[in-house]
Amino acid sequence: MCGRLNVIDDEFVQGLCVTLGIDLTMTPLVPNRFIRAASDVQIIREVDGQRVLQKARWWLLLEPSDTGFKPSQYTSFNTRCDKLNVPHSAGYSPFRTARCIIVAKGFGETEFESQGNKKVPKHYHDIIADKGAITFGGLYKEYIAKQSAEVNLGCSIITLPPHPKLAHFHSKSSPMMLPQDDTLDAWLDPDYQQVDSFNHLMHPRIRQDLIATEINKPNLHQPIGAPSVIPRDIM
């Protein structure tokens, strides 16, 4: 999965946040159609039994800087699912005690091709939920500033093997899209460590109809092809 998220403040994104227990009058959504890796994103996590919507850097591994914390040299905006049960890997401990949800309208994918000795973009696509919003399965880590004791958060989205219906848009992986059912209660509970119960989530699933549109560039977002529907998987 490439590092782009679409978090528009529409009724479906708002409604999903409210369903998850977030009071948007206290912590409003910060809409951004083009969130790229290493930028700020909002995550939902559970703290002292309460679900909160908080700002996090979309990069799990951070390191101290003159202004607080910055992304480390190790790419970590995604965490591969096959690393979640590898001791000492970046996602091992967060998978057990620091899971989160990133609510979004959609995401962006880039497919690359080889030209000589380098990889160049072949095409860009924006993919959004049709009449809905997506709950991405994520992980987070806390970083506490020494002087101010301020808590900073880094996060990542878990990636799965490529889904056949999404392989044209990105052939290397697909994002974990969580079912919007009781699974979310266990996922957000930091005391729930029976991670074997999440094994069924490690297989790519499209849980709602999606709409994919080819665009010229992510920052310009100009459609260059007709939208196509990616139907949800039959559960």
Side-chain angles (χ1 to χ4, degrees), residues 43 45 54-63 69 72 76 79 88-95 97-100 138-144 150-156:
I43 67 171
R45 66 173 181 145
Q54 295 180 318
K55 180 180 72 173
R57 184 69 65 91
W58 187 12
W59 201 274
L60 187 64
L61 300 177
L62 305 180
E63 59 186 25
F69 291 90
S72 77
S76 58
T79 299
H88 310 299
S89 66
Y92 183 84
S93 291
F95 181 49
T97 61
R99 297 176 298 269
C100 66
L139 309 173
Y140 70 89
K141 287 177 69 73
E142 289 187 348
Y143 298 86
I144 301 176
E150 179 184 1
V151 176
N152 293 257
L153 300 174
C155 72
S156 69

Side-chain angles (χ1 to χ4, degrees), residues 66-195:
D66 293 338
T67 57
F69 291 90
K70 65 179 182 179
S72 77
Q73 62 179 315
Y74 302 105
T75 302
S76 58
F77 60 93
N78 292 155
T79 299
R80 285 171 38 182
C81 66
D82 59 348
K83 299 293 186 182
L84 295 175
N85 292 313
V86 177
H88 310 299
S89 66
Y92 183 84
S93 291
F95 181 49
R96 284 148 179 83
T97 61
R99 297 176 298 269
C100 66
I101 291 171
I102 296 94
V103 174
K105 184 65 178 179
F107 58 103
E109 294 287 23
T110 304
E111 180 67 0
F112 292 88
E113 62 182 353
S114 296
Q115 286 189 4
N117 295 324
K118 61 181 181 179
K119 297 280 189 180
V120 298
K122 181 180 180 181
H123 50 67
Y124 304 97
H125 283 84
D126 264 9
I127 301 171
I128 63 171
D130 183 21
K131 299 177 183 177
I134 301 171
T135 42
F136 291 108
L139 309 173
Y140 70 89
K141 287 177 69 73
E142 289 187 348
Y143 298 86
I144 301 176
K146 289 184 178 179
Q147 308 233 344
S148 66
E150 179 184 1
V151 176
N152 293 257
L153 300 174
C155 72
S156 69
I157 290 176
I158 296 171
T159 56
L160 309 175
H163 190 290
K165 295 178 185 177
L166 299 176
H168 167 69
F169 310 109
H170 187 68
S171 59
K172 290 181 63 178
S173 63
S174 62
M176 176 185 281
M177 293 179 272
L178 296 171
Q180 294 171 19
D181 57 22
D182 292 344
T183 304
L184 301 181
D185 294 331
W187 187 264
L188 287 173
D189 184 352
D191 295 324
Y192 186 83
Q193 298 187 24
Q194 291 75 41
V195 294

Side-chain angles (χ1 to χ4, degrees), residues 2 11 131 162 230:
C2 292
E11 59 180 311
K131 299 177 183 177
I230 306 168

